[in-house]
Structure formats: structure tokens, C-alpha cells
Amino acid sequence: MLELISLKKTYKTGDKALDNVTISVPKGQIVGLIGPSGAGKSTLIRCINRLVEPTSGSISLSGRAVTGLGHRDLRAMRRRIGMIFQEYALVERLTVMENVLSGRLGYVGFWTSFTRHYSSDDVSRAYHLLDRVGLLDHADKRADALSGGQRQRVGIARALAQEPELLLVDEPTASLDPKTSRQIMRLLTGICAERDLPAIVNIHDVPLAQQFMQRIVGLRAGQVVFDGAPSDLTEDA
Ligand code: ADP
Ligand code: ADP
């Protein structure tokens, strides 16, 4: 369970990006975050993995604090959070398998060199994940030989290789065509359900959110203006 309490973020520039956001996400729930550009969606996601320091408020994951951690604990905490990105953030010259294994290193932003030795457990888990995302036949291909949809499948498998307690997903389908977008959303929601994994998905496409999300949180000017079932969503969120 992820819990955000009275979260506020005001940037140095004076931009009030989050204004008293309180949300809790139980295990297995997949939440779509919607709202106009500048509403605070990216800031919210970045506060949870602490790429952005909240001005006040608290965040906890499975009962453990995310806010107020020192450097070392921060790295350990980031390993508990799987990230999936709009532009996939794969290492293009590495194979699909190597990209998935790199998830074992933890947060991909700090990925530097491919030097770690992987256990046979890591490798068999990675094959299992590639099978789940439908890319078993592509394990040895380089990432740059894949289509957008295939890349995002690798991104999903890599995030799962980390065995996360939470997925943070930033515009996963923004670079994909509508049909591939639906396939990716179906995969993502299926995996979350199987693993009882909570997820927050920053999703621009409202119809796609309504089709696939269990719950929608609408942000506007840093405040929660809607929080409920997709079917209850009205025009204004
Ligand atoms: P969204 O993801 O919904 O488009 P953001 O979280 O990117 O919204 O932005 C929320 C507000 O915070 C906007 O007013 C934006 O200009 C501002 N903002 C975002 N990032 C920064 C930053 N690094 N420095 C200053 N202001 C920022
Ligand atoms: P997004 O697509 O997530 O809404 P943006 O295009 O708004 O992102 O912002 C791109 C980058 O610029 C992000 O790192 C964001 O934090 C930063 N940023 C956004 N708004 C501002 C701002 N007003 N001042 C400084 N940095 C900003």
C-alpha cells in the first residue's frame, strides 16, 4: 500500500506543483493519473521516487517511510519501485535480455556499466518475464532492433525484474499507436492483477484511462479534483 499524506511541492521558481495531495493506493490497484499539462502529474510521480523533494507532507510504501530517508536508504527504497517510461529508457546497444537483467540493479537512472554478475536465478526469472510479455523469441536481439510496442514490453519486464512493490508508469503509451497502446495497457493491467502489484500510471489519454484503470485521480493546479471509478468521471477532470 502506498500512502501520500498532505503532499505539497512548491518549486524554487514559486510554482505550486502539488497542493495538499492525499491519496492511498492499496495492493493490486491500478490508478490512472490524469489532468492537463502543468497539473502536477510528473511532480507527483517524481516525489514518490524522490527525484523531487516534497516541500511538506509524507509518503510511505508498505508502511515504510519514503520521505525523510538518507542517501543509502533512498537507494534501497528506489529498488522497491519499478519505473516504466514513455520513451522506454532502454540501453539501445544491449540485448533485450541484458536490458531486463539491468532491472536487478535497481533504479535505471543510475545505470552505469554492465558489470554485475547475475545469478542463474536472475537469468531464469528474466526468461520467465520475457515469456510473460511475449518476447521470449527476442531475448538476444538488440533493443534498437525492436518496435515501440516491443520496447515498452521490455521496459515492463525490466521493471518487474526488480521485484517491485509498486510500479510508477509515466505516459507508457504516448509514443505508441492506438492499437499497440491498448495491447500495452492490457498487458500492464494483467500483470498488476496477477501480482497484486499497485501502480500509478500518468496517462494523458482519458478514454484509454477509462477503459483500463480501476480508479482515476484527476489533478488540476496541484490539487485532486477527482478521485473515483472511471465510470463516474465527468467532462471536467
Ligand atoms: P504535469 O506533469 O501534470 O504536466 P508537472 O508536474 O510537470 O505537471 O508541473 C506542475 C507545475 O510545476 C507546472 O506549473 C510546472 O511548470 C512546474 N514545474 C515542474 N517541474 C518544475 C521544475 N523542475 N522547476 C520549476 N517548476 C517546475
Ligand atoms: P512533462 O512532459 O512531464 O509535462 P515538461 O515538458 O512539462 O514535462 O517538462 C520537461 C522538464 O522540464 C521536466 O524535467 C520538468 O520538471 C521541467 N520543468 C517543467 N516546468 C518547468 C518550469 N516551470 N521550470 C523549470 N523546469 C520545468
Side-chain angles (χ1 to χ4, degrees):
M1 155 114 128
L2 172 74
E3 204 149 21
L4 313 182
I5 300 171
S6 307
L7 202 65
K8 293 187 186 181
K9 175 63 188 180
T10 305
Y11 286 102
K12 285 197 196 82
T13 50
D15 285 280
K16 221 177 188 181
L18 294 177
D19 186 9
N20 227 4
V21 171
T22 296
I23 309 170
S24 65
V25 182
K27 266 193 154 187
Q29 190 175 65
I30 179 157
V31 179
L33 203 55
I34 65 170
S37 185
K41 304 180 300 294
S42 308
T43 301
L44 182 68
I45 291 211
R46 288 176 196 165
C47 282
I48 298 169
N49 66 9
R50 291 277 306 279
L51 286 175
V52 161
E53 205 57 39
T55 309
S56 64
S58 69
I59 303 174
S60 66
L61 180 57
S62 323
R64 290 195 274 169
V66 167
T67 34
L69 295 177
H71 200 74
R72 254 191 78 162
D73 294 336
L74 193 57
R75 284 192 63 172
M77 185 279 296
R78 282 185 176 139
R79 275 197 205 112
R80 298 160 57 206
I81 300 176
M83 297 285 300
I84 296 169
F85 305 92
Q86 174 181 344
E87 298 291 348
Y88 327 119
L90 304 182
V91 183
E92 298 290 329
R93 68 193 160 75
L94 294 182
T95 66
V96 165
M97 175 50 107
E98 287 166 333
N99 270 282
V100 174
L101 282 169
S102 76
R104 295 297 293 166
L105 293 173
Y107 180 62
V108 69
F110 295 123
W111 198 90
T112 46
S113 66
F114 201 76
T115 53
R116 203 190 116 142
H117 177 73
Y118 295 97
S119 70
S120 56
D121 273 0
D122 289 338
V123 175
S124 66
R125 190 183 299 112
Y127 275 117
H128 187 77
L129 291 170
L130 281 177
D131 190 23
R132 178 62 185 90
V133 301
L135 286 181
L136 201 50
D137 294 343
H138 294 69
D140 298 324
K141 280 198 184 147
R142 271 172 57 135
D144 55 12
L146 303 181
S147 69
Q150 290 171 331
R151 282 172 198 222
Q152 195 55 291
R153 288 167 189 272
V154 179
I156 292 168
R158 178 185 54 196
L160 295 171
Q162 212 176 302
E163 301 191 304
E165 292 165 47
L166 169 72
L167 286 181
L168 293 180
V169 191
D170 197 8
E171 299 271 5
T173 62
S175 307
L176 303 174
D177 64 69
K179 182 164 173 252
T180 310
S181 296
R182 286 193 297 275
Q183 290 169 345
I184 291 293
M185 292 312 302
R186 203 168 292 125
L187 179 67
L188 200 56
T189 50
I191 284 172
C192 285
E194 285 160 24
R195 298 178 169 237
D196 213 15
L197 190 59
I200 295 188
V201 186
N202 184 351
I203 183 166
H204 228 78
D205 185 331
V206 175
L208 201 64
Q210 286 179 298
Q211 189 180 353
F212 288 101
M213 299 292 113
Q214 294 169 349
R215 171 180 167 195
I216 290 180
V217 168
L219 282 183
R220 175 168 293 183
Q223 296 185 328
V224 175
V225 294
F226 177 87
D227 186 355
S231 54
D232 294 336
L233 190 67
T234 49
E235 289 295 308
D236 50 280

